[in-house]
Amino acid sequence: MNSLSFQTGGRLRTSAILALAHLIIVSCTMTAPAEEVAETDWRPNILLVLTDDQGYSDVGFNGNPHVRTPVLDTFSESALVFDQFYTQPVCSPTRAALLTGQFAARSGVIDTQAGAALLPTEKVTLAEMLQSGGYATGLFGKWHLGDNAPMRPEDQGFDRVLRHDGGMIGTWYSPPGGRSYFDPILWEDGDQKSFDGYAPDIFTDAAIDFIRENDRQPFFAFLSFNTPHHPLTVSDSFAKTYRERGFSEYTSRFYGMIENIDYNFGRVLTTLKETRNLDNTLIIFLSDNGTSSLHRQDDLWEIGLRGRKTYVYENGIRVPMFIRLPQDSGIAGRTDQVAMAEDLMPTVLEAAGIESSVLFDGVSLLPLLQRQIDSLPDRPLVFQFHRGATPVHMRNIAVRTGDYKLVQPIGRGDSAFEPDLATFELYELSTDPHEKDDLSQSEPQRVATLIETYSNWADEVGEEPFVPRPIWIGSELQNPVILTRQDWWDVTMQDGQTGPYHLEVKSAGTYQLTFRWNELFNATHKVMIELGDQTFEREIHRSELEARIEAVTLQPGPLVLRAGIEIDGVAHGFRYIEIEKLSESVIP
């Protein structure tokens, strides 16, 4: 399959192994007895499965002949598969859009770091709406919208939480001793704990426990896999088949991680069946963005879409996605209707019978799923990604209306951008889904119209200036607080940076601050700390890895913290800073 097909009702051919998988799974898709559901108080359960860096072509049901996803492939035949479902080019903006029903730019979530991955508490989340409507709510896996109060998932509507730090396991902010997908250190309902096993399996175990605990009340289970995001770590039991078939080690691990997702999705379906909830549950599956741009092996199968994660071309923003309504109340097949992550919150709330006063940028997909309408309204879809906490007009953007899409690809990630560098490309996706035939020279008026559409959108969503979203210290919600480079405002997480952290002291008292590196030093290093208008100097000596301010009095209000350790003449920000409130009174 070398080209895209957008035909409602179309089916992909399945191999013998998928046919066998269908026989295995069919017992999991039987309808629960009607008498088990009270007609007077029936509300659907919600299962939302979100994967990380799994592109449009990284599933069997979208034509990939190599990766084995039999459970997803078979289940998709009872769901509506969207061939043109869009997210943002990177994960945090997509997650913000999904959980608010609004463009991520309205929340100031435009990056995965630099403080711009923090979801403001004034935004009403899907979890908060469902929670207020009587749903049990649980998040299991990746959050990446704030690791500290008041931006944690438990502060944003989730009753049960099991998550990892930041955007991935195995980077700057991963705790020492917990930097592998195996035996990770995770946060469980606000407490940091060590776990045995493989992270996606652990997250699935927790989701299964949550479903079983709430099988007599409506629940919202958000299973947010941290795979197949890098690092490509997976058990040999999932990767070895691909190695034996001659795939590169990189691709073998990548496909193995996806096969593990499929395996765990099957485990959840089995649990839903065993608790008689399978056909009482609205099930959504999607990825947060396209395949990682770090994957450059030639043996990775792709359907021909252009770009990768972080790009605003199709392969960076178009993802695998399906929805199945409960009790066979929706249509199944494939659709070429254009939908986006912002549509999911209004869809779920309408299915749950919960009204909202929020002005959504998305629309409910329920009328389409129930055949009440044949098509979704045409509306502009806007995509943008670059580093930093302040949006830059026209930098790495795309805007689509109808079948036409404008792309300005300069300025992606950390790359340079100035207005005079901007270059515009135009594609008609209905005839050119691979974005090969640039029409910008032959259709200048359409280019101008789409530029104006983007500018109007940017003006409208950017009415409020992007400001730091302070992390609370001295709060009843969380003590101590652990800061990482993920929490820096408007700077990258690399060495040579020192913050700043924007904090809000919630209560007066005496605080202790501990500044930690991730390894022991073999020489003395100077430490410089600025805490509001106070300056502290410390040293870390040989065989040490931390410095401390043992007692400092802080008053309520905003506070900016910078801290750095001098290495080879350059100040580097710490990997971890722990701030603990010791008492209400001042220590003499």
Side-chain angles (χ1 to χ4, degrees):
M1 183 174 181
N2 297 315
S3 62
L4 291 173
S5 173
F6 307 117
Q7 297 181 356
T8 302
R11 287 285 194 269
L12 295 173
R13 291 191 302 172
T14 57
S15 65
I17 190 170
L18 299 189
L20 175 60
H22 178 76
L23 295 176
I24 295 171
I25 298 167
V26 70
S27 63
C28 294
T29 57
M30 297 176 65
T31 305
E35 61 267 23
E36 294 294 323
V37 181
E39 293 183 0
T40 57
D41 190 33
W42 183 85
R43 287 178 294 169
N45 303 310
I46 312 297
L47 172 64
L48 174 59
V49 179
L50 181 66
T51 64
D52 196 2
D53 290 5
Q54 184 175 13
Y56 177 89
S57 56
D58 298 329
V59 289
F61 65 80
N62 281 343
N64 191 314
H66 304 303
V67 68
R68 300 193 304 183
T69 53
V71 181
L72 288 165
D73 298 347
T74 301
F75 190 83
S76 72
E77 295 178 0
S78 65
L80 185 63
V81 178
F82 282 75
D83 274 318
Q84 299 190 83
F85 192 88
Y86 288 93
T87 65
Q88 289 300 311
V90 292
C91 64
S92 294
T94 294
R95 293 161 195 274
L98 188 156
L99 287 167
T100 64
Q102 297 181 329
F103 298 128
R106 291 195 191 277
S107 304
V109 181
I110 64 169
D111 193 0
T112 59
Q113 51 183 290
L118 305 178
L119 183 63
T121 54
E122 61 267 22
K123 291 296 180 181
V124 179
T125 69
L126 174 59
E128 287 172 323
M129 290 296 299
L130 292 171
Q131 188 182 59
S132 66
Y135 276 73
T137 57
L139 171 108
F140 312 99
K142 180 171 177 173
W143 171 245
H144 205 185
L145 291 171
D147 292 333
N148 293 294
M151 280 79 70
R152 303 171 302 169
E154 51 263 55
D155 307 319
Q156 303 262 33
F158 287 97
D159 303 316
R160 282 276 291 115
V161 175
L162 182 65
R163 65 171 177 88
H164 61 77
D165 283 302
M168 59 182 286
I169 295 174
T171 190
W172 305 105
Y173 38 73
S174 298
R179 292 178 179 156
S180 171
Y181 284 16
F182 291 103
D183 303 334
I185 295 175
L186 306 171
W187 290 93
E188 183 177 36
D189 299 330
D191 295 322
Q192 199 173 48
K193 300 179 181 179
S194 296
F195 288 80
D196 295 328
Y198 184 57
D201 298 345
I202 295 167
F203 296 137
T204 304
D205 290 342
I208 287 172
D209 290 343
F210 174 77
I211 290 169
R212 292 191 183 281
E213 291 165 2
N214 295 284
D215 69 336
R216 295 299 177 183
Q217 71 176 105
F219 60 77
F220 169 42
F222 184 8
L223 180 53
S224 181
F225 288 111
N226 61 317
T227 49
H229 193 291
H230 289 73
L232 298 184
T233 305
V234 68
S235 168
D236 285 343
S237 63
F238 287 99
K240 66 179 181 180
T241 301
Y242 300 101
R243 295 185 187 119
E244 293 168 354
R245 291 163 59 189
F247 286 96
S248 66
E249 180 66 14
Y250 216 83
T251 299
S252 295
R253 293 189 184 197
F254 182 71
Y255 282 163
M257 294 171 92
I258 294 172
E259 189 171 332
N260 175 266
I261 291 170
D262 187 77
Y263 159 75
N264 279 312
F265 183 69
R267 293 174 60 209
V268 176
L269 293 185
T270 298
T271 301
L272 291 173
K273 173 183 177 289
E274 290 173 352
T275 57
R276 295 176 179 253
N277 278 308
L278 184 59
D279 281 341
N280 300 332
T281 302
L282 168 61
I283 298 176
I284 303 172
F285 173 89
L286 75 157
S287 176
D288 60 357
N289 47 246
T291 304
S292 171
S293 53
L294 296 177
H295 200 130
R296 300 183 178 93
Q297 275 57 38
D298 292 337
D299 58 351
L300 181 70
W301 187 88
E302 295 184 275
I303 204 166
L305 296 179
R306 185 175 178 181
R308 289 283 182 83
K309 174 183 178 180
T310 75
Y311 289 84
V312 292
Y313 292 113
E314 290 292 282
N315 207 31
I317 56 179
R318 189 188 295 189
V319 298
M321 186 272 190
F322 63 66
I323 303 180
R324 197 192 78 164
L325 290 183
Q327 297 183 323
D328 297 323
S329 57
I331 59 174
R334 301 185 76 93
T335 179
D336 61 359
Q337 290 298 298
V338 178
M340 58 183 181
E342 291 84 347
D343 297 334
L344 295 181
M345 182 169 174
T347 301
V348 168
L349 292 181
E350 184 176 3
I354 296 175
E355 296 184 357
S356 173
S357 60
V358 174
L359 182 62
F360 293 124
D361 292 311
V363 300
S364 174
L365 304 177
L366 199 64
L368 180 72
L369 290 160
Q370 295 178 331
R371 291 192 184 275
Q372 298 173 15
I373 60 173
D374 295 326
S375 61
L376 296 172
D378 186 21
R379 60 264 168 83
L381 276 64
V382 179
F383 313 94
Q384 182 166 14
F385 166 67
H386 57 75
R387 291 297 182 198
T390 302
V392 178
H393 195 71
M394 285 294 175
R395 182 177 175 183
N396 191 39
I397 67 100
V399 55
R400 174 175 177 170
T401 60
D403 289 328
Y404 285 91
K405 178 182 171 187
L406 180 77
V407 175
Q408 194 300 108
I410 307 300
R412 181 177 61 92
D414 292 317
S415 58
F417 176 77
E418 296 293 339
D420 59 358
L421 296 176
T423 178
F424 297 100
E425 304 164 8
L426 179 68
Y427 301 101
E428 186 177 2
L429 297 178
S430 61
T431 59
D432 181 25
H434 301 159
E435 297 171 294
K436 293 182 177 180
D437 185 13
D438 180 7
L439 305 176
S440 59
Q441 297 302 310
S442 60
E443 297 207 41
Q445 185 54 52
R446 196 181 297 276
V447 170
T449 299
L450 288 171
I451 290 175
E452 183 180 11
T453 298
Y454 167 79
S455 296
N456 291 339
W457 173 88
D459 290 342
E460 199 268 324
V461 301
E463 290 178 351
E464 298 296 328
F466 284 11
V467 296
R469 294 172 278 285
I471 293 167
W472 292 356
I473 62 174
S475 163
E476 293 181 356
L477 294 177
Q478 183 185 16
N479 189 46
V481 169
I482 298 177
L483 305 175
T484 71
R485 295 184 178 190
Q486 180 71 45
D487 303 308
W488 284 347
W489 177 256
D490 211 14
V491 294
T492 64
M493 294 186 288
Q494 305 302 314
D495 283 334
Q497 306 277 3
T498 58
Y501 298 96
H502 285 264
L503 311 174
E504 183 175 345
V505 181
K506 299 303 290 183
S507 58
T510 302
Y511 289 77
Q512 176 176 285
L513 289 76
T514 304
F515 303 84
R516 295 193 178 98
W517 198 246
N518 63 335
E519 59 189 356
L520 295 173
F521 285 106
N522 59 8
T524 298
H525 295 273
K526 293 181 180 180
V527 173
M528 297 73 67
I529 302 165
E530 295 179 3
L531 190 61
D533 58 2
Q534 303 181 71
T535 300
F536 302 84
E537 293 184 0
R538 295 289 189 272
E539 288 183 342
I540 296 180
H541 288 239
R542 183 184 182 90
S543 299
E544 292 183 332
L545 52 65
E546 68 180 37
R548 304 174 77 187
I549 299 175
E550 294 189 353
V552 60
T553 301
L554 300 178
Q555 299 298 326
L559 182 70
V560 177
L561 167 64
R562 285 183 180 272
I565 180 169
E566 185 178 298
I567 303 174
D568 297 328
V570 178
H572 299 278
F574 283 90
R575 303 296 170 87
Y576 315 96
I577 300 176
E578 181 177 299
I579 304 178
E580 181 178 8
K581 183 178 180 182
L582 301 177
S583 66
E584 299 290 341
S585 59
V586 177
I587 295 176

